[in-house]
Amino acid sequence: MRAAGRTRLSGRARWNPDSLSGNRRSTRDERVEHEEAGGLLRAEAGADTIREGAGRIELCSGLLEGGTTPSMGVLQVVKQYVQIPVFVMIRPRGGDFLYSDREVEVMKADIRLAKLYGADGLVFGALTEDGHIDKELCMSLVALCRPLPVTFHRAFDMVHDPVAALETLLTLGFERVLTSGCDSSALEGLPLIKRLIDQAKGRIVVMPGGGITDRNLQRILEGSGATEFHCSARSARDSGMKFRNSSVAMGASLSNSEYSLKVTDVTQVRTLNAIAKNILV
């Protein structure tokens, strides 16, 4: 579906519309989160993804930047087509997670608008210059998000001390944290993810995300004890454009071609959900 917007399957589904998450009933309450990226995915894909088991969508834009705030138009349309929870990314730009006063104003305005247009939850993160959770800012943003649930996104993977950071998130009231275990992928960060889940003891959901595929999902779930996971489950779709100007690119030279669209792969969602269902029973 990423739809616009990190299946962040509750894995990390973004409906780009930027994320989406999958959900299935089990004794361990396994959830698949799918990531959808704003404008890149189609509402029809979102509906298909839900049928294949996604339980939640993380809606965002700018997947090549790790996910940014989607337009409220994307949120409004996505809500018309899906019935599962849609969590909206609040991130005013790509890059680091140290925000200026003006950027904080934008984040607060986006939270108010996301709530107005039907968001079921919010996803954000902020750090201090020395790599700690920005307690003051996060506290104010969490308060503004209420009564909706909040997820701390992969800014967590940039913290100086993840063990201490997890306890900070608990005191701030976050219900969930998305992490690759402070490594390049959830598979590489598996030892830390397991340590964090053991530390959390059910007080907060530690959700693996980052490079999750059908080839490594079983190892990640079994090796960590996670009950949710986040993934994009993306594939490339060729553009329908017949006339193509190969001399012009609309983004950076290293970005994807304008004639290759990233969409949620329903087959991947189905496969990932089947793997999770066999493990989390």
Side-chain angles (χ1 to χ4, degrees), residues 27-275:
T27 57
R28 297 177 63 184
D29 189 30
E30 170 266 329
R31 294 181 70 85
V32 174
E33 180 177 78
H34 179 74
E35 182 173 37
E36 301 278 339
L40 298 182
L41 303 179
R42 303 293 187 265
E44 292 84 351
D48 289 342
T49 305
I50 295 167
R51 283 194 292 270
E52 297 306 331
R56 184 172 59 246
I57 290 174
E58 181 188 281
L59 192 63
C60 55
S61 292
L63 295 186
L64 294 179
E65 295 183 291
T68 55
T69 306
S71 76
M72 293 304 104
V74 167
L75 173 59
Q76 189 174 31
V77 171
V78 168
K79 289 292 292 184
Q80 293 175 9
Y81 284 89
V82 304
Q83 292 75 46
I84 61 174
V86 177
F87 280 38
V88 175
M89 171 76 77
I90 303 296
R91 188 180 179 214
R93 56 163 173 78
D96 64 34
F97 303 99
L98 181 65
Y99 296 115
S100 69
D101 290 343
R102 291 294 175 266
E103 288 171 333
V104 171
E105 288 182 26
V106 172
M107 295 172 76
K108 290 181 176 180
D110 283 334
I111 289 172
R112 295 187 186 99
L113 288 171
K115 292 174 69 176
L116 180 65
Y117 283 94
D120 298 293
L122 288 308
V123 182
F124 61 87
L127 305 179
T128 64
E129 62 183 7
D130 54 357
H132 298 294
I133 305 294
D134 189 329
K135 297 180 185 178
E136 182 178 355
L137 174 54
C138 286
M139 185 179 299
S140 66
L141 295 180
V142 167
L144 188 59
C145 290
R146 294 307 187 205
L148 299 181
V150 288
T151 297
F152 196 91
H153 58 42
R154 285 189 63 199
F156 185 88
D157 290 324
M158 308 300 285
V159 299
H160 177 70
D161 183 347
V163 172
L166 186 67
E167 295 301 322
T168 298
L169 296 184
L170 279 162
T171 64
L172 291 171
F174 283 88
E175 285 84 6
R176 180 177 286 101
V177 57
L178 175 65
T179 180
S180 64
C182 301
D183 215 319
S184 58
S185 70
L187 184 60
E188 294 296 323
L190 186 56
L192 178 58
I193 293 173
K194 175 174 172 40
R195 180 181 178 186
L196 293 171
I197 290 174
D198 291 343
Q199 175 188 343
K201 292 182 170 60
R203 297 174 296 163
I204 184 174
V205 175
V206 178
M207 182 169 60
I212 291 181
T213 69
D214 59 348
R215 296 183 298 277
N216 59 31
L217 177 58
Q218 180 174 349
R219 181 176 172 186
I220 290 169
L221 292 179
E222 292 180 340
S224 67
T227 56
E228 300 186 8
F229 68 99
H230 177 93
C231 68
S232 59
R234 283 175 291 164
S235 63
R237 175 189 297 169
D238 192 46
S239 166
M241 289 291 296
K242 294 181 178 179
F243 172 76
R244 303 187 179 193
N245 185 349
S246 59
S247 301
V248 178
M250 294 294 107
S253 59
L254 295 180
S255 67
N256 289 343
S257 166
E258 280 75 20
Y259 304 110
S260 178
L261 306 178
K262 296 298 183 183
V263 299
T264 297
D265 189 322
V266 175
T267 299
Q268 289 189 45
V269 175
R270 182 187 304 122
T271 301
L272 289 162
N273 191 58
I275 293 171

